[in-house]
PDB file of all heavy atoms in Angstrom:
ATOM      1  N   LEU A  33     131.222  92.000  90.763  1.00 83.00           N
ATOM      2  CA  LEU A  33     132.538  92.087  91.371  1.00 83.00           C
ATOM      3  C   LEU A  33     133.623  91.639  90.449  1.00 83.00           C
ATOM      4  O   LEU A  33     134.720  92.273  90.448  1.00 83.00           O
ATOM      5  CB  LEU A  33     132.548  91.219  92.674  1.00 83.00           C
ATOM      6  CG  LEU A  33     131.759  91.820  93.855  1.00 83.00           C
ATOM      7  CD1 LEU A  33     131.669  90.802  94.993  1.00 83.00           C
ATOM      8  CD2 LEU A  33     132.444  93.086  94.355  1.00 83.00           C
ATOM      9  N   VAL A  34     133.398  90.617  89.656  1.00 81.00           N
ATOM     10  CA  VAL A  34     134.427  90.158  88.731  1.00 81.00           C
ATOM     11  C   VAL A  34     134.662  91.236  87.682  1.00 81.00           C
ATOM     12  O   VAL A  34     135.834  91.582  87.348  1.00 81.00           O
ATOM     13  CB  VAL A  34     133.966  88.824  88.059  1.00 81.00           C
ATOM     14  CG1 VAL A  34     134.889  88.506  86.897  1.00 81.00           C
ATOM     15  CG2 VAL A  34     133.977  87.708  89.051  1.00 81.00           C
ATOM     16  N   LEU A  35     133.624  91.802  87.127  1.00 83.00           N
ATOM     17  CA  LEU A  35     133.775  92.874  86.105  1.00 83.00           C
ATOM     18  C   LEU A  35     134.431  94.102  86.694  1.00 83.00           C
ATOM     19  O   LEU A  35     135.278  94.735  86.050  1.00 83.00           O
ATOM     20  CB  LEU A  35     132.422  93.211  85.502  1.00 83.00           C
ATOM     21  CG  LEU A  35     131.742  92.105  84.667  1.00 83.00           C
ATOM     22  CD1 LEU A  35     130.374  92.561  84.183  1.00 83.00           C
ATOM     23  CD2 LEU A  35     132.635  91.688  83.491  1.00 83.00           C
ATOM     24  N   ALA A  36     134.034  94.448  87.938  1.00 82.00           N
ATOM     25  CA  ALA A  36     134.625  95.623  88.594  1.00 82.00           C
ATOM     26  C   ALA A  36     136.113  95.425  88.817  1.00 82.00           C
ATOM     27  O   ALA A  36     136.926  96.347  88.659  1.00 82.00           O
ATOM     28  CB  ALA A  36     133.918  95.922  89.899  1.00 82.00           C
ATOM     29  N   GLN A  37     136.495  94.223  89.241  1.00 75.00           N
ATOM     30  CA  GLN A  37     137.924  93.943  89.470  1.00 75.00           C
ATOM     31  C   GLN A  37     138.704  94.010  88.195  1.00 75.00           C
ATOM     32  O   GLN A  37     139.843  94.506  88.152  1.00 75.00           O
ATOM     33  CB  GLN A  37     138.063  92.543  90.101  1.00 75.00           C
ATOM     34  CG  GLN A  37     139.487  92.174  90.417  1.00 75.00           C
ATOM     35  CD  GLN A  37     140.090  93.046  91.507  1.00 75.00           C
ATOM     36  OE1 GLN A  37     139.757  92.929  92.665  1.00 75.00           O
ATOM     37  NE2 GLN A  37     140.977  93.973  91.124  1.00 75.00           N
ATOM     38  N   ARG A  38     138.112  93.533  87.084  1.00 76.00           N
ATOM     39  CA  ARG A  38     138.803  93.573  85.797  1.00 76.00           C
ATOM     40  C   ARG A  38     138.974  95.023  85.330  1.00 76.00           C
ATOM     41  O   ARG A  38     139.940  95.362  84.620  1.00 76.00           O
ATOM     42  CB  ARG A  38     137.993  92.796  84.731  1.00 76.00           C
ATOM     43  CG  ARG A  38     137.918  91.322  84.977  1.00 76.00           C
ATOM     44  CD  ARG A  38     139.267  90.650  84.808  1.00 76.00           C
ATOM     45  NE  ARG A  38     139.161  89.195  84.914  1.00 76.00           N
ATOM     46  CZ  ARG A  38     140.221  88.357  84.896  1.00 76.00           C
ATOM     47  NH1 ARG A  38     141.409  88.888  84.788  1.00 76.00           N
ATOM     48  NH2 ARG A  38     140.042  87.072  85.009  1.00 76.00           N
ATOM     49  N   ALA A  39     138.050  95.900  85.694  1.00 78.00           N
ATOM     50  CA  ALA A  39     138.068  97.252  85.206  1.00 78.00           C
ATOM     51  C   ALA A  39     138.910  98.175  86.063  1.00 78.00           C
ATOM     52  O   ALA A  39     139.102  99.347  85.683  1.00 78.00           O
ATOM     53  CB  ALA A  39     136.657  97.799  85.097  1.00 78.00           C
ATOM     54  N   THR A  40     139.382  97.732  87.227  1.00 76.00           N
ATOM     55  CA  THR A  40     140.139  98.581  88.146  1.00 76.00           C
ATOM     56  C   THR A  40     141.580  98.224  88.072  1.00 76.00           C
ATOM     57  O   THR A  40     141.962  97.113  87.656  1.00 76.00           O
ATOM     58  CB  THR A  40     139.611  98.439  89.583  1.00 76.00           C
ATOM     59  OG1 THR A  40     139.663  97.019  89.942  1.00 76.00           O
ATOM     60  CG2 THR A  40     138.210  98.941  89.729  1.00 76.00           C
ATOM     61  N   PRO A  41     142.473  99.151  88.472  1.00 66.00           N
ATOM     62  CA  PRO A  41     143.906  98.864  88.493  1.00 66.00           C
ATOM     63  C   PRO A  41     144.263  97.714  89.417  1.00 66.00           C
ATOM     64  O   PRO A  41     143.504  97.397  90.345  1.00 66.00           O
ATOM     65  CB  PRO A  41     144.497 100.186  88.993  1.00 66.00           C
ATOM     66  CG  PRO A  41     143.470 101.237  88.754  1.00 66.00           C
ATOM     67  CD  PRO A  41     142.167 100.541  88.875  1.00 66.00           C
TER      68      PRO A  41
END
Side-chain angles (χ1 to χ4, degrees):
L33 287 171
V34 170
L35 294 178
Q37 181 66 74
R38 294 291 186 185
T40 54

